[in-house]
mmCIF file of all heavy atoms in Angstrom:
data_model
loop_
_atom_site.group_PDB
_atom_site.id
_atom_site.type_symbol
_atom_site.label_atom_id
_atom_site.label_comp_id
_atom_site.label_asym_id
_atom_site.label_seq_id
_atom_site.Cartn_x
_atom_site.Cartn_y
_atom_site.Cartn_z
ATOM 1 N N PHE J 104 -52.679 -107.003 158.048
ATOM 2 C CA PHE J 104 -52.803 -106.239 159.294
ATOM 3 C C PHE J 104 -53.616 -104.942 159.127
ATOM 4 O O PHE J 104 -53.672 -104.150 160.084
ATOM 5 C CB PHE J 104 -51.403 -105.921 159.853
ATOM 6 C CG PHE J 104 -50.652 -107.179 160.265
ATOM 7 C CD1 PHE J 104 -49.356 -107.389 159.835
ATOM 8 C CD2 PHE J 104 -51.247 -108.152 161.042
ATOM 9 C CE1 PHE J 104 -48.666 -108.534 160.192
ATOM 10 C CE2 PHE J 104 -50.564 -109.290 161.415
ATOM 11 C CZ PHE J 104 -49.251 -109.501 160.996
ATOM 12 N N TRP J 149 -50.972 -97.678 158.400
ATOM 13 C CA TRP J 149 -50.755 -98.603 159.506
ATOM 14 C C TRP J 149 -49.322 -99.123 159.455
ATOM 15 O O TRP J 149 -48.729 -99.216 158.394
ATOM 16 C CB TRP J 149 -51.774 -99.759 159.521
ATOM 17 C CG TRP J 149 -51.759 -100.737 158.387
ATOM 18 C CD1 TRP J 149 -51.296 -102.026 158.400
ATOM 19 C CD2 TRP J 149 -52.291 -100.544 157.066
ATOM 20 N NE1 TRP J 149 -51.490 -102.610 157.180
ATOM 21 C CE2 TRP J 149 -52.092 -101.740 156.325
ATOM 22 C CE3 TRP J 149 -52.886 -99.475 156.374
ATOM 23 C CZ2 TRP J 149 -52.470 -101.897 154.992
ATOM 24 C CZ3 TRP J 149 -53.269 -99.597 155.053
ATOM 25 C CH2 TRP J 149 -53.048 -100.804 154.376
ATOM 26 N N HIS J 150 -48.741 -99.377 160.627
ATOM 27 C CA HIS J 150 -47.386 -99.922 160.656
ATOM 28 C C HIS J 150 -47.093 -100.618 161.975
ATOM 29 O O HIS J 150 -47.870 -100.493 162.952
ATOM 30 C CB HIS J 150 -46.353 -98.818 160.346
ATOM 31 C CG HIS J 150 -46.138 -97.768 161.373
ATOM 32 N ND1 HIS J 150 -45.256 -97.913 162.385
ATOM 33 C CD2 HIS J 150 -46.745 -96.558 161.545
ATOM 34 C CE1 HIS J 150 -45.283 -96.819 163.161
ATOM 35 N NE2 HIS J 150 -46.190 -95.993 162.645
ATOM 36 N N ALA J 151 -45.978 -101.348 161.980
ATOM 37 C CA ALA J 151 -45.604 -102.113 163.194
ATOM 38 C C ALA J 151 -44.893 -101.191 164.188
ATOM 39 O O ALA J 151 -44.418 -100.071 163.828
ATOM 40 C CB ALA J 151 -44.652 -103.225 162.766
ATOM 41 N N TYR J 157 -47.709 -105.572 165.145
ATOM 42 C CA TYR J 157 -48.896 -104.773 164.878
ATOM 43 C C TYR J 157 -49.837 -104.922 166.090
ATOM 44 O O TYR J 157 -49.874 -106.000 166.719
ATOM 45 C CB TYR J 157 -49.599 -105.243 163.626
ATOM 46 C CG TYR J 157 -48.923 -104.795 162.357
ATOM 47 C CD1 TYR J 157 -47.840 -105.495 161.838
ATOM 48 C CD2 TYR J 157 -49.345 -103.669 161.682
ATOM 49 C CE1 TYR J 157 -47.179 -105.084 160.678
ATOM 50 C CE2 TYR J 157 -48.729 -103.236 160.529
ATOM 51 C CZ TYR J 157 -47.650 -103.956 160.039
ATOM 52 O OH TYR J 157 -47.017 -103.541 158.879
ATOM 53 N N TYR J 193 -39.471 -106.645 160.554
ATOM 54 C CA TYR J 193 -40.111 -107.629 161.463
ATOM 55 C C TYR J 193 -40.377 -108.932 160.729
ATOM 56 O O TYR J 193 -40.494 -108.963 159.492
ATOM 57 C CB TYR J 193 -41.427 -107.047 162.016
ATOM 58 C CG TYR J 193 -42.480 -106.776 160.988
ATOM 59 C CD1 TYR J 193 -43.369 -107.787 160.575
ATOM 60 C CD2 TYR J 193 -42.588 -105.535 160.399
ATOM 61 C CE1 TYR J 193 -44.327 -107.526 159.617
ATOM 62 C CE2 TYR J 193 -43.542 -105.262 159.440
ATOM 63 C CZ TYR J 193 -44.407 -106.267 159.051
ATOM 64 O OH TYR J 193 -45.356 -106.033 158.090
ATOM 65 N N ARG J 214 -39.596 -109.040 156.881
ATOM 66 C CA ARG J 214 -40.035 -107.978 155.977
ATOM 67 C C ARG J 214 -39.217 -106.742 156.282
ATOM 68 O O ARG J 214 -39.018 -106.393 157.453
ATOM 69 C CB ARG J 214 -41.501 -107.616 156.200
ATOM 70 C CG ARG J 214 -42.475 -108.739 155.867
ATOM 71 C CD ARG J 214 -43.709 -108.134 155.201
ATOM 72 N NE ARG J 214 -43.336 -107.542 153.916
ATOM 73 C CZ ARG J 214 -43.974 -106.583 153.286
ATOM 74 N NH1 ARG J 214 -45.063 -106.059 153.846
ATOM 75 N NH2 ARG J 214 -43.562 -106.118 152.131
ATOM 76 N N HIS J 217 -41.370 -100.688 157.090
ATOM 77 C CA HIS J 217 -42.258 -99.948 156.152
ATOM 78 C C HIS J 217 -43.439 -99.363 156.886
ATOM 79 O O HIS J 217 -43.808 -99.791 157.957
ATOM 80 C CB HIS J 217 -42.772 -100.846 155.029
ATOM 81 C CG HIS J 217 -43.497 -102.029 155.568
ATOM 82 N ND1 HIS J 217 -42.860 -103.215 155.826
ATOM 83 C CD2 HIS J 217 -44.786 -102.216 155.928
ATOM 84 C CE1 HIS J 217 -43.731 -104.102 156.326
ATOM 85 N NE2 HIS J 217 -44.917 -103.497 156.390
ATOM 86 N N HIS J 219 -47.523 -98.781 155.755
ATOM 87 C CA HIS J 219 -48.520 -99.070 154.708
ATOM 88 C C HIS J 219 -49.388 -97.818 154.480
ATOM 89 O O HIS J 219 -49.784 -97.166 155.445
ATOM 90 C CB HIS J 219 -49.505 -100.157 155.203
ATOM 91 C CG HIS J 219 -48.865 -101.488 155.389
ATOM 92 N ND1 HIS J 219 -48.869 -102.480 154.424
ATOM 93 C CD2 HIS J 219 -48.234 -102.012 156.456
ATOM 94 C CE1 HIS J 219 -48.258 -103.542 154.925
ATOM 95 N NE2 HIS J 219 -47.853 -103.319 156.136
ATOM 96 N N HIS J 233 -46.670 -99.347 150.047
ATOM 97 C CA HIS J 233 -45.824 -99.246 151.239
ATOM 98 C C HIS J 233 -44.837 -98.090 151.026
ATOM 99 O O HIS J 233 -44.518 -97.764 149.877
ATOM 100 C CB HIS J 233 -44.880 -100.439 151.360
ATOM 101 C CG HIS J 233 -45.468 -101.762 151.656
ATOM 102 N ND1 HIS J 233 -46.473 -102.370 150.955
ATOM 103 C CD2 HIS J 233 -45.116 -102.688 152.607
ATOM 104 C CE1 HIS J 233 -46.722 -103.568 151.472
ATOM 105 N NE2 HIS J 233 -45.905 -103.794 152.438
HETATM 106 FE FE1 FE R 2 -46.526 -104.472 157.278
#
Side-chain angles (χ1 to χ4, degrees):
F104 297 130
W149 65 106
H150 70 88
Y157 283 83
Y193 63 87
R214 295 220 65 204
H217 57 268
H219 295 264
H233 292 53

